[in-house]
Amino acid sequence: STQSTWEAVVSTQSTWEAVVSTQSTWEAVVSTQSTWEAVVSTQSTWEAVVSTQSTWGTSPYIYPCWGLGGLPEGFSRLAAVHGGVYMLRRPISKILFNDDGTARGVVSPDPEDETGEKMEEAFCKQLIGDPSYFADTDKVQKVGQVAQWLCILGDKPKGIEGDSAQIIIPGVEFKRKNDIYVSLQGWGLQCAPQGRYIAMVSSNVETADPRAELAPALQMLGSIIEEFFFVRDVYVPTNKDAKDNCFIASSMDATTNFQSVTREVMALYKQITGKDVDLTADAATLGQES
């Protein structure tokens, strides 16, 4: 009887060893799968960078000449072509809502009224806006702050060969949770006179002294002619499941590569139209009329 019991114990032990061995094998498989997924993701990213670089010249980044102001200018022209109405440099005093909570328009001061009391209304079926317009509503939530240091440089930072550059300083270099981003533009992008450069240093605020947080990045910029420091709040929308006809973007983050902005634009497009953005294109035929 004792021998049978021990045999049963040994048999049970062998079974458990087999289970443990099988579990270890599956954990190894899952780990390998995660590694391959990371490899494939990295490979896709590099392929996108190489493809873009071969299309647009010596840089994988696309930046509008004369600065980002070219983007709203292009939007305004496109709106005019399609019969749209746009108002530039017009503050929004109030957002109009229907009784059911859906947005129906905005109120803006009449620029020709010197008293500032006369208001004009513009109506819409869908309202797409920056979160700052909704800051006093329950449709957005403040999640942090971004510090930015805009600098006019008398020369390029040491080690920079081209006319523009993007520098990412890992947060661990200065015992920070967030990286510090530096975007540099010069004459080649029509953002500064010849011999001058524009540098924007930015990062998420982590302490009560954001200037001190970005100070190490300024030391690498070199000759600073003028500087402008500011801190802005960061908001995210909280109404994505609401049927209020308001489509709100998140505030711009501290990154300088526009990847997060691009992802959000694509998400907003799907939220509004119900369709994914189709960006499939053949690099060999870009710019050709279809």
Side-chain angles (χ1 to χ4, degrees), residues 17-290:
E17 289 176 350
V19 170
V20 172
S21 175
T22 303
Q23 182 179 1
S24 300
T25 302
W26 276 110
E27 288 176 350
V29 170
V30 171
S31 175
T32 303
Q33 181 179 1
S34 300
T35 301
W36 276 110
E37 288 175 351
V39 170
V40 171
S41 176
T42 303
Q43 181 180 359
S44 300
T45 301
W46 276 109
E47 288 177 351
V49 170
V50 172
S51 175
T52 305
Q53 184 171 3
S54 62
T55 302
W56 298 102
T58 59
S59 173
Y61 303 106
I62 303 174
Y63 193 90
C65 286
W66 302 291
L68 294 178
L71 297 181
E73 179 183 1
F75 175 82
S76 299
R77 291 182 177 181
L78 190 61
V81 170
H82 291 275
V85 178
Y86 53 90
M87 299 184 297
L88 303 180
R89 299 182 182 275
R90 295 288 294 270
I92 301 299
S93 301
K94 183 181 179 181
I95 299 176
L96 302 174
F97 292 94
N98 295 311
D99 293 338
D100 61 358
T102 57
R104 66 182 181 89
V106 296
V107 177
S108 177
D110 184 350
E112 297 181 359
D113 180 26
E114 296 181 356
T115 65
E117 297 179 355
K118 184 179 180 180
M119 297 291 171
E120 295 182 330
E121 296 181 353
F123 301 100
C124 62
K125 295 180 179 179
Q126 296 174 327
L127 185 59
I128 307 171
D130 181 89
S132 60
Y133 292 107
F134 301 87
D136 58 347
T137 72
D138 59 355
K139 299 182 184 299
V140 297
Q141 178 184 2
K142 181 181 174 180
V143 294
Q145 290 182 311
V146 167
Q148 293 181 298
W149 219 323
L150 178 63
C151 302
I152 302 175
L153 308 183
D155 199 358
K156 290 186 293 186
K158 292 183 179 180
I160 303 299
E161 298 180 358
D163 186 69
S164 61
Q166 177 179 234
I167 305 170
I168 302 177
I169 305 174
V172 294
E173 293 288 333
F174 302 112
K175 297 180 180 180
R176 289 173 45 81
K177 296 179 181 178
N178 298 279
D179 298 337
I180 300 177
Y181 298 87
V182 181
S183 177
L184 178 72
Q185 295 92 32
W187 165 254
L189 292 174
Q190 306 297 304
C191 293
Q194 285 186 322
R196 297 289 186 266
Y197 298 86
I198 304 296
M200 176 66 82
V201 182
S202 59
S203 186
N204 292 339
V205 175
E206 297 181 7
T207 69
D209 189 1
R211 281 180 175 268
E213 295 181 46
L214 299 187
L218 258 67
Q219 298 176 3
M220 63 181 296
L221 293 181
S223 174
I224 299 178
I225 298 176
E226 188 62 84
E227 60 185 67
F228 308 89
F229 180 84
F230 48 94
V231 176
R232 56 179 174 82
D233 295 333
V234 176
Y235 295 93
V236 296
T238 58
N239 71 324
K240 291 188 177 181
D241 296 327
K243 305 297 182 182
D244 55 7
N245 294 339
C246 294
F247 301 92
I248 308 171
S250 300
S251 302
M252 292 278 289
D253 61 17
T255 61
T256 55
N257 51 26
F258 302 108
Q259 288 183 348
S260 57
V261 177
T262 303
R263 286 193 295 267
E264 181 153 27
V265 169
M266 296 174 70
L268 273 175
Y269 181 90
K270 185 172 184 178
Q271 185 182 355
I272 296 169
T273 66
K275 302 178 181 178
D276 291 323
V277 178
D278 184 6
L279 296 178
T280 56
D282 183 356
T285 60
L286 286 177
Q288 299 180 8
E289 295 291 339
S290 58

